[in-house]
Amino acid sequence: CYQQIPTRQVKVEDIVFLAPFICEKGESHKVQTILKENGQAYDFIIASRYNGEWVRHAQGKVIVGLDDHAPLLQLEEIKNRCSIERKEFIQYEEDFSGSGAIITGPRWNNVQQVYVGDGEVLAHFSLPERFAADKDLYHFHPSLMDNAVNLAINTVSQDFYLPFTYRICKVYNTMPSRS
């Protein structure tokens, strides 16, 4: 998708996560992103081959270009409204060892600082330096986006759950390796 779309400004709509992508340590699976042009948009499907069958993991629509500009946020104002500050976070292992429902790797060691207020969270992320070149591969880096979403979810609930759908996600530019 990143290579097919000529602009960095996109709106992703109606994203539905249908099935988790499961890959055990040492396994590999073929994954495809299928784009179908639909006027000024692209419908997409992300699927993988598992036990000889294609499994659809996600689907949605990418609309090229945006009608509006990125909102200007006053970060210091948000920070001042927040009453809790965190600077210590889980460090994920190099070898993807660990336990729990989801095991990630060192690219997820990107949360630097978090400020939590009443119904809002402000976070600073930075990919570990050795993964800085990743920013050229992604419109928004999977580990940065994943941690951003998880931080937002964890301010609402301490229960573990994954999002099922996103109605709209606007991308005004590529995500920097530090934000």
Side-chain angles (χ1 to χ4, degrees):
C1 186
Y2 178 72
Q3 293 146 347
Q4 296 298 317
I5 297 174
T7 179
R8 298 288 188 241
Q9 296 188 338
V10 296
K11 180 168 49 170
V12 187
E13 291 185 340
D14 303 323
I15 304 168
V16 180
F17 298 99
L18 303 165
F21 176 70
I22 300 170
C23 192
E24 299 293 333
K25 187 175 181 175
E27 285 185 333
S28 65
H29 297 277
K30 183 180 276 190
V31 178
Q32 290 186 344
T33 301
I34 302 162
L35 293 174
K36 182 179 179 187
E37 203 164 349
N38 183 357
Q40 296 294 324
Y42 293 89
D43 296 324
F44 72 87
I45 296 170
I46 299 172
S48 72
R49 194 107 170 127
Y50 189 77
N51 289 334
E53 300 290 325
W54 284 101
V55 177
R56 188 179 291 201
H57 299 287
Q59 63 188 36
K61 179 187 296 187
V62 177
I63 299 168
V64 179
L66 295 173
D67 299 349
D68 54 353
H69 298 284
L72 184 60
L73 301 175
Q74 302 299 325
L75 299 182
E76 282 303 313
E77 287 179 20
I78 296 170
K79 184 176 162 183
N80 290 335
R81 289 193 304 264
C82 295
S83 58
I84 300 170
E85 180 180 2
R86 289 182 51 208
K87 293 183 180 180
E88 305 223 352
F89 306 96
I90 295 170
Q91 293 299 302
Y92 297 97
E93 302 295 327
E94 279 303 308
D95 63 357
F96 296 86
S97 64
S99 61
I102 297 176
I103 299 171
T104 60
R107 283 176 171 82
W108 272 255
N109 294 333
N110 60 45
V111 183
Q112 303 299 307
Q113 203 163 17
V114 176
Y115 301 92
V116 180
D118 185 22
E120 63 186 342
V121 63
L122 174 65
H124 297 275
F125 300 92
S126 182
L127 275 175
E129 184 63 34
R130 67 187 176 166
F131 302 120
D134 284 8
K135 70 180 177 54
D136 298 329
L137 301 174
Y138 300 101
H139 228 64
F140 36 91
H141 196 282
S143 67
L144 294 170
M145 186 71 172
D146 190 38
N147 277 341
V149 169
N150 289 331
L151 280 170
I153 288 171
N154 287 333
T155 62
V156 175
S157 171
Q158 293 302 311
D159 294 331
F160 176 79
Y161 67 94
L162 299 172
F164 175 69
T165 185
Y166 294 124
R167 190 173 63 84
I168 295 176
C169 178
K170 293 182 179 181
V171 180
Y172 293 95
N173 206 334
T174 55
M175 187 179 268
S177 58
R178 177 170 168 69
S179 61

